């Protein structure tokens, strides 16, 4: 029975993954993500039912569009698969099954899904465009505030801790709306700060700190590699390379890994 349950969870996860790929492509372009029918980015042909089955359509079509035969980017398959696996892993580590579904577990799982949606959209858009769109950042802020309200209702002792996060949100948002207009500071920095606060609220301080440290190490190693590769070239070239580093993307990957690791730790060792 549990196997059937997790198969359903995996399918739901891949459906979310399919939505993520659509949103990552359309949000930066300012396109509708809910009502406009899915289409091929190359030939713009509307996709049919058999073209839209997550994971399997990519495999059966050989990674190509049915109509123009143009290759489909692997990211569609990768995101759908990762999403399905993540949904199953979280459900398993939370001990979800048909026999023990409770309102509390369903709500907790739903919040994790909402957070995962934020992380994937942030990482995907940042990787493709080197920016984090404001609607995505605000989505993260809104679900965080709703989550804080929920936690305060079920656990009164968490009010002070999460109150600090709310104050940090307010400070950063005020700086984003006031300071930037006067000083023209790069909004990307503020988006990263807001994203890190959201990470801390959902994945905890330890996972967030480890994610930041891992990201800094990864960026340092990457820049060292680029400097060695471009030795002898102008400093301007090195600066242009540094400006293209997608910090949000590099933050998201370790955060998901540490989030799963912490869930596993509590399931098997605590």
């Amino acid at each position: 029975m549990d196997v059937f349950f997790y198969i359903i969870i995996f399918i739901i996860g891949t459906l979310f993954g399919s939505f993520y790929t659509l949103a990552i492509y359309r949000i930066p372009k300012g396109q509708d993500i809910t009502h406009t029918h899915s289409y091929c980015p190359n030939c713009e042909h509307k996709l049919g039912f058999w073209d839209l089955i997550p994971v399997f359509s990519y495999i059966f079509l050989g990674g190509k569009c049915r109509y123009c035969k143009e290759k489909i980017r692997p990211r569609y398959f990768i995101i759908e698969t990762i999403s399905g696996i993540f949904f199953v892993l979280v459900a398993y580590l939370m001990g979800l099954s048909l026999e023990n579904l409770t309102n509390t577990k369903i709500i907790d799982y739903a919040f994790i899904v909402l957070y995962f949606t934020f992380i994937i959209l942030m990482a995907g858009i940042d990787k493709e465009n080197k920016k984090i769109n404001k609607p995505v950042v605000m989505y993260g802020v809104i679900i965080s505030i709703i989550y804080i309200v929920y936690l305060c209702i079920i656990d009164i002792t968490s009010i002070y801790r999460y109150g600090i996060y709310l104050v940090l949100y307010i400070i950063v948002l005020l700086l984003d709306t006031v300071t930037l207009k006067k000083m023209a500071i790069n909004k990307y920095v503020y988006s990263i700060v807001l994203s890190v606060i959201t990470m801390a609220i959902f994945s905890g301080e330890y996972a967030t700190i480890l994610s930041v440290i891992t990201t800094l190490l990864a960026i340092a190693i990457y820049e060292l590699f680029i400097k060695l590769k471009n030795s002898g070239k102008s400093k301007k070239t090195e600066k242009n390379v540094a400006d293209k580093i997608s910090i949000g993307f590099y933050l998201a990957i370790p955060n998901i890994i540490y989030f799963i690791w912490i869930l596993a730790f509590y399931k098997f060792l605590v």
Side-chain angles (χ1 to χ4, degrees), residues 22-80:
L22 177 147
I24 289 169
Y25 176 79
R26 293 188 184 182
I27 288 177
K29 297 178 181 295
Q31 298 180 1
D32 179 73
I33 62 172
T34 56
H35 298 92
T36 304
H37 193 82
S38 297
Y39 59 88
C40 171
N42 181 59
C43 65
E44 299 187 354
H45 193 288
K46 288 186 178 180
L47 302 180
F49 174 79
W50 298 108
D51 305 316
L52 296 172
I53 302 175
V55 179
F56 297 102
S57 289
Y58 184 91
I59 296 173
F60 294 148
L61 294 173
K64 296 181 181 179
C65 172
R66 183 193 301 273
Y67 309 98
C68 66
K69 306 304 178 184
E70 184 74 15
K71 284 188 176 181
I72 302 171
R73 295 182 63 179
R75 79 168 188 189
Y76 292 91
F77 174 78
I78 293 171
I79 292 176
E80 289 170 356

Side-chain angles (χ1 to χ4, degrees), residues 111-158:
F111 272 117
I112 292 175
V113 169
L114 291 174
Y115 172 64
F116 182 68
T117 300
F118 163 74
I119 284 291
I120 290 294
L121 294 184
M122 178 195 71
I125 293 174
D126 192 34
K127 181 67 170 62
E128 295 293 318
N129 304 277
K130 182 51 176 67
K131 69 176 181 179
I132 303 173
N133 290 66
K134 195 164 186 177
V136 175
V137 176
M138 293 312 299
Y139 163 76
V141 173
I142 291 169
I143 62 169
S144 297
I145 293 172
I146 296 173
Y147 185 55
I148 287 172
V149 172
Y150 167 70
L151 290 178
C152 289
I153 292 173
I154 64 172
D155 182 8
I156 194 68
T157 59
S158 65

Side-chain angles (χ1 to χ4, degrees), residues 140-202:
V141 173
I142 291 169
I143 62 169
S144 297
I145 293 172
I146 296 173
Y147 185 55
I148 287 172
V149 172
Y150 167 70
L151 290 178
C152 289
I153 292 173
I154 64 172
D155 182 8
I156 194 68
T157 59
S158 65
I159 289 178
Y160 300 105
R161 176 189 173 212
Y162 290 105
I164 295 173
Y165 289 128
L166 288 176
V167 172
L168 289 174
Y169 268 144
I170 293 171
I171 292 173
V172 177
L173 288 171
L174 284 174
L175 288 172
D176 184 28
T177 55
V178 178
T179 309
L180 290 183
K181 292 180 179 179
K182 295 181 178 180
M183 302 179 63
I185 299 174
N186 187 354
K187 285 193 173 186
Y188 186 73
V189 175
Y190 287 92
S191 296
I192 290 297
V193 174
L194 288 170
S195 298
V196 169
I197 296 172
T198 302
M199 288 180 181
I201 292 171
F202 280 97

